[in-house]
Amino acid sequence: QVQLQQSGAELVKPGSSVKISCKASGYTFTSYDMHWIKQQPGNGLEWIGWIYPGNGNTKYNQKFNGKATLTADKSSSTAYMQLSSLTSEDSAVYFCARGDYYSGFFDYWGQGVMVTVSS
Amino acid sequence: DIQMTQSPASLSASLEEIVTITCQASQDIGNWLAWYQQKPGKSPQLLIHSATSLADGIPSRFSGSRSGTQYSLKISRLQVEDTGIYYCLQRYSNPRTFGGGTKLELK
């Protein structure tokens, strides 16, 4: 069955960077987009961008240009998101989610990674 | 960016009641709309895609409809397990945008 297993919670200092992972299993990793979504505590959902692991193409929400960098490792079926120059506004839960092959909607989600930015 | 205005922000309903949540798109998005349910501490679950198509494994009491740029999610007979926060999502254009959410509770 399709599974997206994300890395563990992170406590990081302001100004630093963090790289979180999303390991896919149960499907052909290179054939589906992988999306990343941000959810601040008590808030709604915000789309960060996607990567197509088949060729590494990416598309970002302009709001996250320079903040998020998406990569993928085909050999390990793992997608990554690096967040840089962290501030308290980056404290949030970050989800990876697969884009359905036909509809493009997010059909499977990871469990989420809590990133806390604090000195 | 396309704005998705979701209403109501919160809703309290009784068991077996009919519940309707709506999303208004700021421009035409065709049928490129999905609905998700999120329970506390969990990731969102796809309920409806392409405005009206039921996702795999979702009970038939959930349904989606469209009238122009207004989209609705209907729960025909509310069950205990239907409590949570509901979001709409448009994927017509980038950036993909979500509605603000509707918190559904049992009365």
Side-chain angles (χ1 to χ4, degrees), chain A residues 33 35 37 39 43-47 50 59 61-62 95 102-107 109-112, chain B residues 1 31-34 36 38 41-46 49-50 87 89-91 94-96 98 100:
Chain A
D33 299 337
H35 296 256
I37 296 103
Q39 186 168 41
N43 281 8
L45 300 159
E46 198 168 16
W47 179 76
W50 59 253
K59 180 71 177 179
N61 182 337
Q62 197 169 356
F95 296 99
Y102 295 104
S103 73
F105 292 105
F106 317 143
D107 56 356
W109 294 61
Q111 80 275 21
Chain B
D1 298 2
N31 283 335
W32 296 110
L33 182 113
Y36 292 86
Q38 186 178 31
K42 300 293 187 182
S43 52
Q45 180 183 22
L46 180 64
H49 67 85
S50 307
Y87 296 95
L89 164 72
Q90 70 80 20
R91 63 137 291 176
N94 292 321
R96 317 283 178 99
F98 291 88

CSV table of all heavy atoms in Angstrom, one decimal, chain A residues 33 35 37 39 43-47 50 59 61-62 95 102-107 109-112, chain B residues 1 31-34 36 38 41-46 49-50 87 89-91 94-96 98 100:
chain,number,residue,atom,x,y,z
A,33,ASP,N,4.0,13.4,-8.9
A,33,ASP,CA,4.4,14.6,-8.2
A,33,ASP,C,4.4,14.4,-6.7
A,33,ASP,O,3.6,13.6,-6.2
A,33,ASP,CB,3.5,15.8,-8.5
A,33,ASP,CG,3.4,16.1,-10.0
A,33,ASP,OD1,4.4,15.8,-10.7
A,33,ASP,OD2,2.4,16.7,-10.4
A,35,HIS,N,4.1,16.8,-3.4
A,35,HIS,CA,3.8,18.2,-2.9
A,35,HIS,C,4.2,18.4,-1.5
A,35,HIS,O,4.3,17.4,-0.7
A,35,HIS,CB,2.3,18.5,-3.1
A,35,HIS,CG,1.9,18.4,-4.5
A,35,HIS,ND1,1.6,19.6,-5.2
A,35,HIS,CD2,1.6,17.4,-5.4
A,35,HIS,CE1,1.2,19.2,-6.5
A,35,HIS,NE2,1.2,17.9,-6.6
A,37,ILE,N,3.2,20.9,2.0
A,37,ILE,CA,2.1,21.7,2.5
A,37,ILE,C,2.5,22.1,3.9
A,37,ILE,O,3.0,21.3,4.7
A,37,ILE,CB,0.8,21.0,2.5
A,37,ILE,CG1,0.4,20.7,1.0
A,37,ILE,CG2,-0.3,21.8,3.2
A,37,ILE,CD1,0.6,19.3,0.6
A,39,GLN,N,1.3,23.9,7.6
A,39,GLN,CA,0.2,24.1,8.5
A,39,GLN,C,0.7,24.7,9.8
A,39,GLN,O,1.3,24.0,10.6
A,39,GLN,CB,-0.6,22.9,8.8
A,39,GLN,CG,-1.9,23.2,9.6
A,39,GLN,CD,-2.9,22.0,9.6
A,39,GLN,OE1,-2.5,20.8,9.7
A,39,GLN,NE2,-4.1,22.3,9.4
A,43,ASN,N,-3.9,26.9,12.4
A,43,ASN,CA,-4.2,27.6,11.2
A,43,ASN,C,-4.5,26.6,10.1
A,43,ASN,O,-4.4,25.4,10.2
A,43,ASN,CB,-3.0,28.5,10.8
A,43,ASN,CG,-2.9,29.8,11.5
A,43,ASN,OD1,-3.7,30.0,12.5
A,43,ASN,ND2,-2.0,30.7,11.2
A,44,GLY,N,-4.8,27.2,8.9
A,44,GLY,CA,-5.1,26.4,7.8
A,44,GLY,C,-3.9,25.8,7.0
A,44,GLY,O,-2.8,25.8,7.6
A,45,LEU,N,-4.1,25.5,5.8
A,45,LEU,CA,-3.1,24.8,5.0
A,45,LEU,C,-2.6,25.7,3.9
A,45,LEU,O,-3.4,26.5,3.3
A,45,LEU,CB,-3.7,23.5,4.4
A,45,LEU,CG,-4.3,22.5,5.4
A,45,LEU,CD1,-5.3,21.6,4.7
A,45,LEU,CD2,-3.1,21.7,6.0
A,46,GLU,N,-1.3,25.6,3.6
A,46,GLU,CA,-0.7,26.5,2.6
A,46,GLU,C,0.2,25.6,1.8
A,46,GLU,O,1.1,24.9,2.3
A,46,GLU,CB,0.1,27.5,3.4
A,46,GLU,CG,0.5,28.7,2.6
A,46,GLU,CD,1.1,29.9,3.4
A,46,GLU,OE1,1.5,29.6,4.6
A,46,GLU,OE2,1.2,31.0,2.8
A,47,TRP,N,0.0,25.7,0.5
A,47,TRP,CA,0.8,24.9,-0.5
A,47,TRP,C,2.2,25.5,-0.7
A,47,TRP,O,2.3,26.7,-1.0
A,47,TRP,CB,0.0,24.8,-1.8
A,47,TRP,CG,0.7,24.0,-2.9
A,47,TRP,CD1,0.9,22.6,-2.9
A,47,TRP,CD2,1.3,24.5,-4.0
A,47,TRP,NE1,1.5,22.3,-4.1
A,47,TRP,CE2,1.8,23.4,-4.8
A,47,TRP,CE3,1.5,25.8,-4.5
A,47,TRP,CZ2,2.5,23.6,-6.0
A,47,TRP,CZ3,2.2,26.0,-5.7
A,47,TRP,CH2,2.6,24.9,-6.5
A,50,TRP,N,5.8,21.7,-5.5
A,50,TRP,CA,5.9,20.3,-5.8
A,50,TRP,C,7.2,20.0,-6.6
A,50,TRP,O,7.8,20.9,-7.1
A,50,TRP,CB,4.7,19.8,-6.6
A,50,TRP,CG,4.4,20.4,-7.9
A,50,TRP,CD1,3.3,21.3,-8.2
A,50,TRP,CD2,5.0,20.2,-9.2
A,50,TRP,NE1,3.3,21.7,-9.5
A,50,TRP,CE2,4.3,21.0,-10.2
A,50,TRP,CE3,6.1,19.5,-9.6
A,50,TRP,CZ2,4.7,21.1,-11.5
A,50,TRP,CZ3,6.5,19.6,-11.0
A,50,TRP,CH2,5.8,20.4,-11.9
A,59,LYS,N,8.2,23.3,-8.9
A,59,LYS,CA,7.3,24.4,-9.0
A,59,LYS,C,7.0,24.9,-7.6
A,59,LYS,O,6.6,24.1,-6.8
A,59,LYS,CB,6.0,24.1,-9.7
A,59,LYS,CG,5.1,25.3,-9.9
A,59,LYS,CD,5.6,26.3,-10.9
A,59,LYS,CE,4.6,27.5,-11.1
A,59,LYS,NZ,5.1,28.5,-12.1
A,61,ASN,N,5.3,27.8,-4.8
A,61,ASN,CA,4.5,29.0,-4.5
A,61,ASN,C,5.5,30.1,-4.3
A,61,ASN,O,6.5,30.0,-3.6
A,61,ASN,CB,3.8,28.7,-3.2
A,61,ASN,CG,2.8,29.8,-2.8
A,61,ASN,OD1,3.0,31.0,-3.2
A,61,ASN,ND2,1.9,29.5,-1.9
A,62,GLN,N,5.2,31.2,-5.0
A,62,GLN,CA,6.2,32.4,-5.0
A,62,GLN,C,6.5,32.8,-3.6
A,62,GLN,O,7.6,33.3,-3.3
A,62,GLN,CB,5.5,33.5,-5.8
A,62,GLN,CG,6.5,34.6,-6.2
A,62,GLN,CD,5.9,35.6,-7.2
A,62,GLN,OE1,4.8,35.4,-7.7
A,62,GLN,NE2,6.7,36.6,-7.6
A,95,PHE,N,3.8,18.8,5.8
A,95,PHE,CA,3.3,17.6,5.2
A,95,PHE,C,3.9,17.4,3.8
A,95,PHE,O,4.0,18.4,3.0
A,95,PHE,CB,1.8,17.5,5.1
A,95,PHE,CG,1.0,17.6,6.3
A,95,PHE,CD1,0.5,18.8,6.8
A,95,PHE,CD2,0.8,16.4,7.1
A,95,PHE,CE1,-0.2,18.8,8.0
A,95,PHE,CE2,0.1,16.5,8.3
A,95,PHE,CZ,-0.4,17.7,8.7
A,102,TYR,N,-4.0,10.9,-12.1
A,102,TYR,CA,-5.0,11.4,-13.1
A,102,TYR,C,-5.6,12.8,-12.7
A,102,TYR,O,-5.7,13.7,-13.5
A,102,TYR,CB,-6.1,10.4,-13.2
A,102,TYR,CG,-5.7,9.1,-13.8
A,102,TYR,CD1,-5.4,8.0,-13.0
A,102,TYR,CD2,-5.4,9.0,-15.2
A,102,TYR,CE1,-5.0,6.8,-13.6
A,102,TYR,CE2,-5.0,7.8,-15.7
A,102,TYR,CZ,-4.8,6.7,-14.9
A,102,TYR,OH,-4.3,5.6,-15.5
A,103,SER,N,-5.9,12.9,-11.4
A,103,SER,CA,-6.6,14.2,-11.0
A,103,SER,C,-5.6,15.2,-10.5
A,103,SER,O,-6.0,16.4,-10.6
A,103,SER,CB,-7.6,13.9,-9.9
A,103,SER,OG,-7.0,13.6,-8.7
A,104,GLY,N,-4.5,14.8,-10.1
A,104,GLY,CA,-3.5,15.8,-9.6
A,104,GLY,C,-3.7,16.2,-8.2
A,104,GLY,O,-2.9,16.9,-7.6
A,105,PHE,N,-4.8,15.8,-7.6
A,105,PHE,CA,-5.1,16.1,-6.2
A,105,PHE,C,-4.2,15.3,-5.2
A,105,PHE,O,-3.8,14.2,-5.6
A,105,PHE,CB,-6.6,16.0,-5.9
A,105,PHE,CG,-7.5,16.9,-6.6
A,105,PHE,CD1,-8.2,16.5,-7.7
A,105,PHE,CD2,-7.5,18.3,-6.2
A,105,PHE,CE1,-9.0,17.4,-8.4
A,105,PHE,CE2,-8.3,19.2,-6.9
A,105,PHE,CZ,-9.1,18.8,-8.0
A,106,PHE,N,-4.1,15.8,-4.0
A,106,PHE,CA,-3.2,15.1,-3.1
A,106,PHE,C,-4.0,13.9,-2.5
A,106,PHE,O,-4.9,14.1,-1.7
A,106,PHE,CB,-2.8,16.0,-1.9
A,106,PHE,CG,-2.4,17.4,-2.4
A,106,PHE,CD1,-2.7,18.5,-1.7
A,106,PHE,CD2,-1.7,17.6,-3.6
A,106,PHE,CE1,-2.3,19.8,-2.1
A,106,PHE,CE2,-1.3,18.8,-4.0
A,106,PHE,CZ,-1.7,20.0,-3.3
A,107,ASP,N,-3.6,12.7,-2.9
A,107,ASP,CA,-4.4,11.5,-2.5
A,107,ASP,C,-3.8,10.8,-1.3
A,107,ASP,O,-4.5,10.2,-0.5
A,107,ASP,CB,-4.6,10.5,-3.6
A,107,ASP,CG,-3.3,10.1,-4.3
A,107,ASP,OD1,-2.2,10.6,-3.9
A,107,ASP,OD2,-3.4,9.2,-5.2
A,109,TRP,N,-1.0,11.3,2.1
A,109,TRP,CA,-0.2,12.3,2.8
A,109,TRP,C,0.7,11.6,3.8
A,109,TRP,O,0.4,10.5,4.3
A,109,TRP,CB,-1.1,13.2,3.6
A,109,TRP,CG,-2.0,14.1,2.8
A,109,TRP,CD1,-3.0,13.7,1.9
A,109,TRP,CD2,-2.1,15.5,2.9
A,109,TRP,NE1,-3.6,14.7,1.4
A,109,TRP,CE2,-3.1,15.9,2.0
A,109,TRP,CE3,-1.5,16.5,3.6
A,109,TRP,CZ2,-3.5,17.2,1.8
A,109,TRP,CZ3,-1.8,17.8,3.4
A,109,TRP,CH2,-2.8,18.2,2.5
A,110,GLY,N,1.9,12.3,4.1
A,110,GLY,CA,2.7,11.8,5.2
A,110,GLY,C,2.1,12.2,6.5
A,110,GLY,O,1.0,13.0,6.5
A,111,GLN,N,2.7,11.8,7.6
A,111,GLN,CA,2.1,12.0,8.9
A,111,GLN,C,2.4,13.5,9.4
A,111,GLN,O,1.8,13.9,10.4
A,111,GLN,CB,2.6,11.0,9.9
A,111,GLN,CG,4.0,11.2,10.5
A,111,GLN,CD,5.1,10.7,9.6
A,111,GLN,OE1,4.9,10.5,8.4
A,111,GLN,NE2,6.2,10.5,10.3
A,112,GLY,N,3.3,14.2,8.7
A,112,GLY,CA,3.6,15.5,9.1
A,112,GLY,C,4.9,15.6,10.0
A,112,GLY,O,5.2,14.6,10.7
B,1,ASP,N,-3.3,35.2,-7.2
B,1,ASP,CA,-3.7,33.9,-6.6
B,1,ASP,C,-5.2,33.8,-6.5
B,1,ASP,O,-5.9,34.8,-6.3
B,1,ASP,CB,-3.1,33.8,-5.2
B,1,ASP,CG,-1.6,33.8,-5.2
B,1,ASP,OD1,-1.0,34.0,-6.3
B,1,ASP,OD2,-1.0,33.7,-4.1
B,31,ASN,N,-13.8,22.2,-12.7
B,31,ASN,CA,-14.0,21.2,-11.7
B,31,ASN,C,-12.8,20.8,-10.9
B,31,ASN,O,-12.7,19.8,-10.2
B,31,ASN,CB,-14.6,19.9,-12.4
B,31,ASN,CG,-16.0,20.0,-12.8
B,31,ASN,OD1,-16.8,20.8,-12.2
B,31,ASN,ND2,-16.4,19.3,-13.8
B,32,TRP,N,-11.8,21.7,-10.9
B,32,TRP,CA,-10.5,21.4,-10.2
B,32,TRP,C,-10.6,21.8,-8.8
B,32,TRP,O,-9.8,22.6,-8.2
B,32,TRP,CB,-9.4,22.2,-10.9
B,32,TRP,CG,-9.2,21.8,-12.3
B,32,TRP,CD1,-9.4,22.5,-13.5
B,32,TRP,CD2,-8.7,20.5,-12.8
B,32,TRP,NE1,-9.1,21.7,-14.6
B,32,TRP,CE2,-8.6,20.5,-14.2
B,32,TRP,CE3,-8.2,19.3,-12.1
B,32,TRP,CZ2,-8.2,19.4,-14.9
B,32,TRP,CZ3,-7.8,18.3,-12.8
B,32,TRP,CH2,-7.8,18.3,-14.2
B,33,LEU,N,-11.5,21.1,-8.1
B,33,LEU,CA,-11.7,21.3,-6.6
B,33,LEU,C,-11.8,20.0,-5.9
B,33,LEU,O,-12.4,19.0,-6.4
B,33,LEU,CB,-12.9,22.1,-6.4
B,33,LEU,CG,-13.1,22.4,-4.9
B,33,LEU,CD1,-13.0,23.9,-4.6
B,33,LEU,CD2,-14.4,21.9,-4.3
B,34,ALA,N,-11.2,20.0,-4.7
B,34,ALA,CA,-11.2,18.8,-3.9
B,34,ALA,C,-11.6,19.2,-2.4
B,34,ALA,O,-11.5,20.4,-2.1
B,34,ALA,CB,-9.9,18.1,-3.8
B,36,TYR,N,-11.2,17.9,1.7
B,36,TYR,CA,-10.5,17.1,2.6
B,36,TYR,C,-11.1,17.2,4.0
B,36,TYR,O,-11.6,18.3,4.4
B,36,TYR,CB,-9.0,17.6,2.7
B,36,TYR,CG,-8.2,17.4,1.4
B,36,TYR,CD1,-8.3,18.3,0.4
B,36,TYR,CD2,-7.5,16.2,1.3
B,36,TYR,CE1,-7.6,18.0,-0.8
B,36,TYR,CE2,-6.8,16.0,0.1
B,36,TYR,CZ,-6.8,16.9,-0.9
B,36,TYR,OH,-6.1,16.6,-2.1
B,38,GLN,N,-9.8,16.8,8.1
B,38,GLN,CA,-8.6,16.6,8.9
B,38,GLN,C,-9.1,16.5,10.4
B,38,GLN,O,-9.9,17.3,10.9
B,38,GLN,CB,-7.7,17.8,8.8
B,38,GLN,CG,-6.4,17.6,9.6
B,38,GLN,CD,-5.4,18.8,9.4
B,38,GLN,OE1,-5.8,19.9,9.3
B,38,GLN,NE2,-4.1,18.5,9.5
B,41,GLY,N,-4.4,16.3,15.0
B,41,GLY,CA,-3.1,15.6,15.1
B,41,GLY,C,-2.9,14.6,13.9
B,41,GLY,O,-1.9,13.9,13.9
B,42,LYS,N,-3.8,14.7,12.9
B,42,LYS,CA,-3.7,13.8,11.7
B,42,LYS,C,-3.5,14.6,10.5
B,42,LYS,O,-3.7,15.8,10.4
B,42,LYS,CB,-4.9,12.9,11.6
B,42,LYS,CG,-5.2,12.1,12.8
B,42,LYS,CD,-4.1,11.0,13.0
B,42,LYS,CE,-4.5,10.0,14.1
B,42,LYS,NZ,-3.4,9.0,14.2
B,43,SER,N,-3.1,13.9,9.4
B,43,SER,CA,-3.0,14.6,8.1
B,43,SER,C,-4.4,14.6,7.4
B,43,SER,O,-5.2,13.7,7.8
B,43,SER,CB,-2.0,13.9,7.2
B,43,SER,OG,-2.2,12.5,7.2
B,44,PRO,N,-4.6,15.5,6.5
B,44,PRO,CA,-5.9,15.6,5.8
B,44,PRO,C,-6.1,14.3,5.0
B,44,PRO,O,-5.2,13.7,4.5
B,44,PRO,CB,-5.7,16.8,4.9
B,44,PRO,CG,-4.7,17.6,5.6
B,44,PRO,CD,-3.7,16.7,6.2
B,45,GLN,N,-7.4,14.0,4.9
B,45,GLN,CA,-7.8,12.8,4.1
B,45,GLN,C,-8.7,13.3,2.9
B,45,GLN,O,-9.6,14.1,3.1
B,45,GLN,CB,-8.6,11.8,4.9
B,45,GLN,CG,-9.1,10.6,4.1
B,45,GLN,CD,-9.9,9.7,5.0
B,45,GLN,OE1,-10.5,10.0,6.0
B,45,GLN,NE2,-10.0,8.4,4.5
B,46,LEU,N,-8.4,12.8,1.7
B,46,LEU,CA,-9.2,13.2,0.5
B,46,LEU,C,-10.6,12.6,0.6
B,46,LEU,O,-10.7,11.4,0.8
B,46,LEU,CB,-8.5,12.8,-0.7
B,46,LEU,CG,-9.1,13.1,-2.1
B,46,LEU,CD1,-9.2,14.6,-2.3
B,46,LEU,CD2,-8.3,12.4,-3.2
B,49,HIS,N,-12.9,14.6,-5.1
B,49,HIS,CA,-12.0,15.2,-6.0
B,49,HIS,C,-12.8,15.6,-7.3
B,49,HIS,O,-13.8,15.1,-7.5
B,49,HIS,CB,-10.7,14.4,-6.3
B,49,HIS,CG,-11.1,13.1,-7.1
B,49,HIS,ND1,-11.2,13.1,-8.5
B,49,HIS,CD2,-11.3,11.9,-6.7
B,49,HIS,CE1,-11.4,11.9,-8.8
B,49,HIS,NE2,-11.5,11.1,-7.7
B,50,SER,N,-12.2,16.5,-8.1
B,50,SER,CA,-12.8,16.9,-9.3
B,50,SER,C,-14.2,17.4,-9.1
B,50,SER,O,-15.1,17.1,-9.9
B,50,SER,CB,-12.8,15.7,-10.3
B,50,SER,OG,-11.4,15.3,-10.5
B,87,TYR,N,-11.6,21.2,4.6
B,87,TYR,CA,-11.0,22.1,3.7
B,87,TYR,C,-11.3,21.9,2.3
B,87,TYR,O,-11.3,20.7,1.8
B,87,TYR,CB,-9.4,22.1,3.9
B,87,TYR,CG,-8.9,22.4,5.2
B,87,TYR,CD1,-8.6,21.5,6.1
B,87,TYR,CD2,-8.6,23.8,5.5
B,87,TYR,CE1,-8.1,21.8,7.4
B,87,TYR,CE2,-8.1,24.1,6.8
B,87,TYR,CZ,-7.8,23.1,7.7
B,87,TYR,OH,-7.3,23.4,8.9
B,89,LEU,N,-9.8,22.7,-1.7
B,89,LEU,CA,-8.5,23.0,-2.4
B,89,LEU,C,-8.8,23.1,-3.8
B,89,LEU,O,-9.5,22.3,-4.4
B,89,LEU,CB,-7.6,21.8,-2.1
B,89,LEU,CG,-6.4,21.7,-3.1
B,89,LEU,CD1,-5.4,22.8,-2.7
B,89,LEU,CD2,-5.7,20.3,-3.0
B,90,GLN,N,-8.2,24.2,-4.4
B,90,GLN,CA,-8.3,24.3,-5.9
B,90,GLN,C,-6.9,24.0,-6.5
B,90,GLN,O,-5.9,24.3,-5.9
B,90,GLN,CB,-8.7,25.7,-6.3
B,90,GLN,CG,-7.7,26.9,-6.1
B,90,GLN,CD,-6.6,27.0,-7.1
B,90,GLN,OE1,-6.7,26.5,-8.2
B,90,GLN,NE2,-5.5,27.7,-6.7
B,91,ARG,N,-7.0,23.2,-7.6
B,91,ARG,CA,-5.7,22.9,-8.3
B,91,ARG,C,-5.8,23.4,-9.7
B,91,ARG,O,-5.1,22.9,-10.6
B,91,ARG,CB,-5.4,21.4,-8.2
B,91,ARG,CG,-6.3,20.5,-8.8
B,91,ARG,CD,-5.6,19.4,-9.6
B,91,ARG,NE,-5.0,20.0,-10.8
B,91,ARG,CZ,-4.2,19.4,-11.6
B,91,ARG,NH1,-4.0,18.1,-11.4
B,91,ARG,NH2,-3.6,19.9,-12.7
B,94,ASN,N,-1.5,27.4,-10.2
B,94,ASN,CA,-0.5,27.6,-9.1
B,94,ASN,C,-0.5,29.1,-8.7
B,94,ASN,O,-0.5,29.9,-9.6
B,94,ASN,CB,0.9,27.2,-9.6
B,94,ASN,CG,0.9,25.7,-9.8
B,94,ASN,OD1,0.4,24.9,-9.0
B,94,ASN,ND2,1.6,25.2,-10.8
B,95,PRO,N,-0.4,29.4,-7.4
B,95,PRO,CA,-0.3,28.4,-6.3
B,95,PRO,C,-1.6,27.7,-6.0
B,95,PRO,O,-2.6,28.4,-6.0
B,95,PRO,CB,0.2,29.3,-5.1
B,95,PRO,CG,-0.4,30.6,-5.4
B,95,PRO,CD,-0.3,30.8,-6.9
B,96,ARG,N,-1.5,26.4,-5.7
B,96,ARG,CA,-2.7,25.8,-5.2
B,96,ARG,C,-3.1,26.5,-3.9
B,96,ARG,O,-2.3,26.9,-3.1
B,96,ARG,CB,-2.4,24.3,-4.9
B,96,ARG,CG,-1.6,23.6,-5.9
B,96,ARG,CD,-2.3,23.2,-7.1
B,96,ARG,NE,-1.5,22.5,-8.1
B,96,ARG,CZ,-1.4,21.2,-8.3
B,96,ARG,NH1,-2.0,20.4,-7.5
B,96,ARG,NH2,-0.6,20.7,-9.2
B,98,PHE,N,-6.0,26.7,-0.6
B,98,PHE,CA,-7.0,26.0,0.3
B,98,PHE,C,-8.0,27.0,0.8
B,98,PHE,O,-7.7,28.2,1.0
B,98,PHE,CB,-6.4,25.4,1.5
B,98,PHE,CG,-5.5,24.2,1.2
B,98,PHE,CD1,-4.1,24.3,0.9
B,98,PHE,CD2,-6.0,22.9,1.3
B,98,PHE,CE1,-3.3,23.3,0.6
B,98,PHE,CE2,-5.2,21.8,1.0
B,98,PHE,CZ,-3.8,22.0,0.7
B,100,GLY,N,-10.3,28.4,4.1
B,100,GLY,CA,-9.8,28.6,5.4
B,100,GLY,C,-10.2,27.5,6.4
B,100,GLY,O,-9.8,27.5,7.6
